[in-house]
Amino acid sequence: MQALVRILGVDPGSRFTGWGVIESDGMECRYVDSGCIALARGKPMAERLAQIFTELGDIARNERIDEAAIETVFMNKNAQSALKLGQARGAALCALIMAGVSEPAEYSPRRVKQAVCGYGAAGKDQVSAMVARLLDHDGEFTEDEADGLALGICHAHHRRMAQAAKLALSQEEEAVS
Amino acid sequence: MQALVRILGVDPGSRFTGWGVIESDGMECRYVDSGCIALARGKPMAERLAQIFTELGDIARNERIDEAAIETVFMNKNAQSALKLGQARGAALCALIMAGVSEPAEYSPRRVKQAVCGYGAAGKDQVSAMVARLLDHDGEFTEDEADGLALGICHAHHRRMAQAAKLALSQEEEAVS
C-alpha cells in the first residue's frame, strides 16, 4: 500500500481550462475537488493567460497537490488554434512549476480515454460517466471537469503500473542474487 | 516633452527569447539594457517555460519598466511549431502581467521593421544595424537582442504618433469651441 498522493489533472484550453483533484492510495482513486477556469471574454489575451496562471497556481497550492498531469495536444489543428492552445498551455505549465510541481506528467487524449474507459476512442459522454463511476460520485461533472479528473485518474493508473513493474523487477533481482 | 518611459521589448521563441529595454522621452530613444534568454536544452519543456517566466519577470521588475511590447506571430508555420511558439508566448505574457505590466502592446514583425528601418521587408542585418544606429550604440547586438530592442523602438514610435494625434485632435476641438 502506497502513501496517499494528491494529483491535479489539467486540460488547458484557450476558452476553458478544466481541472480536477483526486487522491490515490495506489489502488483506488477518491474525488477531492474539480472545476473549470472560464476565461473572461472581451479581455485582452495577456490578461486571460494571467488568469489561468493565477487561478491554477492558487488551486495547486490550496489543494496541496503532490503531482500533476496535463493533456498533450491533438495536433490535427490549424496553426492559429495551435498557437492559442499553446499560449494557454504555456500559462498552465508555468503555474504548475511555480506552484512547486517538479515535473508535470503528460498524457495524450487517447491514453487518458484508454485508462478511464478501457478504449482510446471513447466519446465525451462515456468519459464523464466513467469518471463519475470510478470516483463513486453522484452528481454530474461538466465536460471540462471530467477531462481534468480523467487526467488525474490516468496518472494514478500510470503510477500504479510503474510501481508494479519496479516491484516485479526488484523481486526478480532478489531471486537471481 | 513627455516624461521618460521605460519600455521592454520581447521576442519570445521556443529556444531563444530576445529582450531589450529602452528609455524614450517622446522624441529620442536611449539604450538601457538587452539580452537573450537561452532555454536549457534537454530539460523538460515545462521547466523551460518556467525559465522564460522567471527570468523575464525578474528583468521586468529589476529594470523598472513602465510598458512592454511583444511580437505577434507570423502565421505561416505548421501547427507543431505554432504550438511551441504559443507556449513560449504564454509564459512570456504571464511574466509581464505578473510583473505589473497592465497591457503589453503587440506589433507584427512587418510593423516593427517599418518603424525601425522605414520598410517592412527589411532583413535581419538591416534591423540590427538600424537599431544600433538609432540607439547610438557602438557594439554589435545579437539578432535576438536587436529584435527585442526593435520592438521597444517600435512601441516608442507608436506612442509618439498616438500622442501627436491626440494633441492635434484636442487643438482642433479647442479651435471649434
Side-chain angles (χ1 to χ4, degrees):
Chain A
M1 173 107 158
Q2 290 173 220
L4 278 182
V5 182
R6 276 195 171 221
I7 302 167
L8 169 61
V10 184
D11 181 25
S14 55
R15 290 213 41 224
F16 301 103
T17 292
W19 60 273
V21 179
I22 62 160
E23 211 164 56
S24 163
D25 62 4
M27 290 303 287
E28 287 194 352
C29 294
R30 195 179 68 77
Y31 174 79
V32 177
D33 202 357
S34 60
C36 177
I37 303 169
L39 299 191
R41 293 184 92 164
K43 286 215 176 167
M45 190 256 312
E47 247 174 80
R48 281 184 278 157
L49 295 175
Q51 193 192 336
I52 297 181
F53 178 83
T54 311
E55 293 189 23
L56 198 61
D58 286 346
I59 291 162
R61 275 180 289 265
N62 295 341
E63 304 273 3
R64 302 181 174 284
I65 63 159
D66 301 300
E67 298 186 6
I70 192 165
E71 195 155 289
T72 59
V73 175
F74 175 57
M75 254 311 151
N76 192 3
K77 298 214 175 214
N78 66 39
Q80 185 65 46
S81 49
L83 178 85
K84 281 190 190 164
L85 191 53
Q87 292 181 164
R89 251 185 141 241
L93 285 165
C94 279
L96 294 175
I97 296 271
M98 299 313 288
V101 177
S102 63
E103 209 167 315
E106 297 192 51
Y107 302 99
S108 70
R110 203 176 170 77
R111 192 146 166 212
V112 173
K113 287 173 187 167
Q114 179 78 41
V116 171
C117 298
Y119 62 114
K124 293 252 172 209
D125 290 356
Q126 289 168 296
V127 172
S128 283
M130 274 308 288
V131 164
R133 217 167 112 185
L134 288 168
L135 297 177
D136 206 10
H137 188 82
D138 281 339
E140 273 194 22
F141 293 120
T142 67
E143 227 173 64
D144 299 296
E145 275 180 292
D147 282 345
L149 291 165
L151 270 154
I153 295 169
C154 175
H155 184 59
H157 184 84
H158 178 82
R159 292 180 97 251
R160 190 161 60 232
M161 294 295 121
Q163 295 207 331
K166 214 163 132 188
L167 188 68
L169 197 70
S170 71
Q171 282 171 343
E172 225 171 85
E173 275 168 6
E174 236 167 73
V176 170
S177 65
Chain B
M1 176 105 158
Q2 290 172 221
L4 278 182
V5 183
R6 277 196 169 219
I7 302 167
L8 169 62
V10 184
D11 181 27
S14 54
R15 290 211 42 226
F16 300 103
T17 291
W19 62 273
V21 178
I22 62 159
E23 210 164 57
S24 163
D25 62 4
M27 291 302 287
E28 287 195 349
C29 293
R30 195 179 67 77
Y31 175 78
V32 177
D33 202 357
S34 60
C36 177
I37 303 169
L39 299 191
R41 294 184 91 163
K43 286 215 176 167
M45 189 255 312
E47 246 174 81
R48 280 183 280 157
L49 295 175
Q51 193 193 336
I52 297 182
F53 178 84
T54 310
E55 293 189 22
L56 198 60
D58 287 346
I59 291 162
R61 274 179 290 264
N62 294 341
E63 303 274 3
R64 302 181 176 283
I65 63 159
D66 301 300
E67 298 186 7
I70 191 165
E71 196 154 288
T72 60
V73 175
F74 176 56
M75 255 309 149
N76 192 2
K77 299 213 176 211
N78 66 38
Q80 185 65 47
S81 49
L83 178 85
K84 281 190 191 164
L85 191 53
Q87 292 181 164
R89 249 186 141 241
L93 285 165
C94 279
L96 293 175
I97 296 271
M98 300 312 289
V101 177
S102 62
E103 208 167 316
E106 297 192 51
Y107 301 100
S108 69
R110 200 173 172 81
R111 193 147 165 210
V112 173
K113 287 174 188 168
Q114 179 77 40
V116 171
C117 298
Y119 63 114
K124 293 251 171 213
D125 289 357
Q126 288 168 295
V127 172
S128 283
M130 274 307 289
V131 164
R133 218 167 112 187
L134 288 169
L135 297 177
D136 206 11
H137 188 82
D138 280 341
E140 273 195 21
F141 293 122
T142 67
E143 227 172 66
D144 299 296
E145 275 180 293
D147 282 344
L149 290 165
L151 270 155
I153 294 169
C154 175
H155 184 58
H157 184 83
H158 177 82
R159 292 180 98 253
R160 190 161 61 230
M161 294 295 121
Q163 296 206 331
K166 214 165 134 187
L167 188 68
L169 196 68
S170 72
Q171 283 171 341
E172 226 170 83
E173 275 169 6
E174 235 168 75
V176 170
S177 65

